[in-house]
Amino acid sequence: MRIAICDDSRRSQALFTSALGEFDPRACAECFTNGAELLEAVQEPPVFDIVFLDIYLPGESGIDIARKIQKLSPQTGIVFITCSLDFAVDAYSLNALHYLVKPITADGVAEAFQRLQRLRSKLRPLLSLTIGRDNVTMYLDEIICILSARHNKEIYLTNNRTIQVRSPLQELEDKLDKNFLRLSRGTIANMEHIRQMSADYCLMDNGMRLDFPRRGKVGIRADYDAWLFSRLYRDQ
């Protein structure tokens, strides 16, 4: 997860970093002292998941910077931080995730991330699984493919991650959306992650080659072509 804090006060940045670490010791934020630096970083991949933005910044206000971020990266969640509630109405008019009053606390940071999670669960479908005693949640668009491997099912995710589950493949397939295509009895591919489609196989974003069964090739290509057509029609 990519996180940013934009505040011209180094002390405020340090307090935020401490609160963030208390909320999640693994989290790390990129720190900026002005909007220009932040906007430059926003244009570099990957996108920021969340930006904590001081309203009172030198030069352009945080409100103005937030408007530009929304144009450059509409999927980035924005949390305003300030010493005053004077601009709360303007902040919420931009559909900000949250509005935090300094000093920032771990509870405030936690609430901001909870709001981000709730928003994303509405915009990005989730897959929730029980693995042993743990509940594991992932976004469907993170799944590249699912393969049967003996008694397990291997879920290949972006960022070179793999999760093993014992759920039947049909049970997993029932929880997926229309972007997924069953290639064989033991293989499901996310068509969003197909880099190349040939007559006999497809090449995925992570470099995996998924071969088609001999009798299913024509049907697979027809389903993929229909999905491509519906996607192009939807995006127009």
Side-chain angles (χ1 to χ4, degrees):
M1 177 173 285
R2 195 178 183 200
I3 305 166
I5 167 71
C6 186
D7 194 313
D8 61 329
S9 168
R10 295 293 187 184
R11 182 175 182 276
S12 294
Q13 289 185 7
L15 290 174
F16 169 82
T17 301
S18 177
L20 179 64
E22 187 177 342
F23 163 68
D24 183 353
R26 300 166 300 176
C28 182
E30 298 175 43
C31 297
F32 304 91
T33 57
N34 60 73
E37 293 177 351
L38 174 60
L39 290 173
E40 185 175 344
V42 166
Q43 299 177 69
E44 299 174 358
V47 300
F48 281 104
D49 295 275
I50 190 168
V51 170
F52 292 81
L53 182 61
D54 188 11
I55 286 183
Y56 298 99
L57 290 171
E60 290 186 280
S61 71
I63 298 290
D64 293 332
I65 297 299
R67 290 193 178 99
K68 293 182 178 181
I69 292 174
Q70 288 185 331
K71 291 181 180 180
L72 292 169
S73 180
Q75 62 269 56
T76 298
I78 297 174
V79 178
F80 287 106
I81 53 177
T82 186
C83 298
S84 169
L85 294 174
D86 292 344
F87 290 91
V89 174
D90 292 334
Y92 283 115
S93 71
L94 292 171
N95 295 319
L97 281 176
H98 205 9
Y99 191 102
L100 299 177
V101 178
K102 297 179 182 181
I104 304 302
T105 64
D107 287 342
V109 171
E111 174 63 22
F113 278 96
Q114 288 169 6
R115 293 189 181 202
L116 178 66
Q117 182 68 27
R118 288 196 294 269
L119 176 64
R120 286 192 163 181
S121 65
K122 294 178 182 178
L123 300 177
R124 297 173 66 191
L126 291 165
L127 173 63
S128 297
L129 301 172
T130 300
I131 302 178
R133 296 183 178 180
D134 298 325
N135 293 320
V136 178
T137 301
M138 66 202 76
Y139 292 111
L140 292 187
D141 59 26
E142 293 181 310
I143 300 173
I144 295 175
C145 60
I146 304 175
L147 306 182
S148 292
R150 295 185 179 179
H151 300 296
N152 293 325
K153 305 298 176 292
E154 295 180 341
I155 303 176
Y156 290 83
L157 304 171
T158 55
N159 298 327
N160 296 317
R161 293 176 295 159
T162 304
I163 294 177
Q164 291 192 348
V165 298
R166 289 188 174 272
S167 303
L169 195 63
Q170 184 60 55
E171 182 179 314
L172 293 175
E173 186 176 22
D174 290 342
K175 297 179 180 180
L176 304 176
D177 60 22
K178 295 180 180 179
N179 291 326
F180 288 84
L181 177 63
R182 176 74 80 104
L183 302 181
S184 67
R185 293 180 59 185
T187 305
I188 298 174
N190 185 344
M191 291 182 281
E192 292 281 2
H193 288 288
I194 293 179
R195 183 191 307 171
Q196 177 185 341
M197 174 67 77
S198 74
D200 301 308
Y201 66 89
C202 60
L203 189 64
M204 308 305 291
D205 284 342
N206 62 354
M208 293 180 65
R209 170 176 166 156
L210 305 180
D211 293 316
F212 305 151
R214 182 179 303 175
R215 294 185 179 180
K217 296 177 183 180
V218 175
I220 289 171
R221 284 304 306 261
D223 289 342
Y224 180 70
D225 290 343
W227 174 82
L228 276 181
F229 179 81
S230 65
R231 180 184 175 188
L232 291 172
Y233 180 79
R234 179 193 63 197
D235 292 341
Q236 287 180 350

